[in-house]
Amino acid sequence: DIQMTQSPSSLSASVGDRVTITCRASQGISSYLAWYQQKPGKVPNLLIYAASTLQSGVPSRFSGSGSGTDFTLTISRLQPEDVATYYCQKYNSAPLTFGGGTKVEIK
Amino acid sequence: EVQLVESGGGLVQPGRSLRLSCAASGFIFADYGMHWVRQAPGKGLEWVSGISWNSGSIGYADSVKGRFTISRDNAKNSLYLQMNSLRAEDMALYYCAKSQGGYYDSSGMDVWGKGTTVTVSS
């Protein structure tokens, strides 16, 4: 099975900072990658699919890039409401593995 | 309003069975793949199982293969997860989620329910 490894596992940044989260697949998955945001005590929310396509209604400060095995989620200017745990997920074939998550906090 | 409502969670002894249900509304259920995703307390997300729009394609996580069975009834706009031989490590909040497309393994999950809690304990 393909493993999904996220880094870092947590980060602390200031409001307005550029934040980058990395997700690495143990084998190539083309662009079959999604990113989710889960705020504390809330249900996960789809941010990006097909590695770089922004889901409707998601603020444009979020962006995704990559293909094959290396992917990134970028928040261009971190906002207080972005405090959450972010997960990548591959969906090219079962099992649809999630990464371990990256917890983003405000410094 | 697009909505998914899970039910059927509860306290169950190790080795016993439980059946989860997910009622869908606000969209054409029969057109979309569906998933079950779980989250143990304080832990990350774990994909459990997915099913295509017509039940023709089904997948499971290795951790539940052979014990859990996903199914759907498009006439009732409902998704199910039959969980047998439950273990302590199956204890989690179980979410029902909608795929963006007709197949569970071709797109992200764009609608999530609030989840139903499964507790496995003697």
Side-chain angles (χ1 to χ4, degrees):
Chain A
D1 294 348
I2 297 173
Q3 306 305 312
M4 304 300 292
T5 304
Q6 278 184 242
S7 61
S9 57
S10 66
L11 65 89
S12 182
S14 299
V15 172
D17 281 355
R18 183 181 184 87
V19 169
T20 298
I21 297 168
T22 296
C23 179
R24 175 163 289 174
S26 59
Q27 298 175 40
I29 58 169
S30 185
S31 296
Y32 292 95
L33 187 97
W35 288 97
Y36 299 88
Q37 175 194 62
Q38 187 177 32
K39 295 183 179 180
K42 300 296 185 181
V43 170
N45 181 48
L46 177 66
L47 295 177
I48 286 168
Y49 61 95
S52 60
T53 303
L54 201 65
Q55 173 70 351
S56 175
V58 174
S60 59
R61 63 180 179 274
F62 290 92
S63 64
S65 64
S67 67
T69 59
D70 294 311
F71 302 88
T72 59
L73 172 70
T74 300
I75 308 173
S76 60
R77 289 178 295 278
L78 187 67
Q79 299 299 303
E81 59 267 31
D82 300 334
V83 167
T85 300
Y86 294 83
Y87 298 91
C88 64
Q89 185 204 25
K90 74 165 196 71
Y91 55 82
N92 61 315
S93 62
L96 276 58
T97 311
F98 286 94
T102 297
K103 187 174 184 179
V104 174
E105 298 176 322
I106 300 292
K107 194 181 293 181
Chain B
E1 179 192 3
V2 176
Q3 196 172 10
L4 298 171
V5 179
E6 303 91 339
S7 61
L11 173 63
V12 61
Q13 293 178 329
R16 302 300 291 265
S17 298
L18 206 59
R19 189 194 196 205
L20 304 184
S21 299
C22 171
S25 60
F27 65 99
I28 302 173
F29 180 74
D31 283 353
Y32 294 94
M34 297 293 296
H35 302 264
W36 289 100
V37 176
R38 68 185 181 186
Q39 187 167 34
K43 302 297 185 183
L45 301 173
E46 180 185 15
W47 179 80
V48 174
S49 183
I51 185 169
S52 65
W53 66 279
N54 63 353
S55 304
S57 178
I58 287 173
Y60 296 98
D62 290 346
S63 58
V64 306
K65 201 175 293 183
R67 299 188 299 124
F68 289 11
T69 302
I70 191 171
S71 62
R72 65 189 295 161
D73 186 336
N74 287 344
K76 295 183 178 180
N77 291 337
S78 293
L79 176 72
Y80 306 100
L81 185 68
Q82 177 67 42
M83 305 186 294
N84 298 332
S85 304
L86 281 161
R87 306 168 179 167
E89 53 264 38
D90 296 319
M91 188 161 60
L93 179 63
Y94 282 73
Y95 294 107
C96 167
K98 169 187 166 291
S99 183
Q100 289 175 287
Y103 295 90
Y104 74 88
D105 55 352
S106 61
S107 53
M109 304 172 193
D110 61 352
V111 180
W112 295 65
K114 294 189 185 324
T116 186
T117 299
V118 173
T119 302
V120 183
S121 176
S122 54

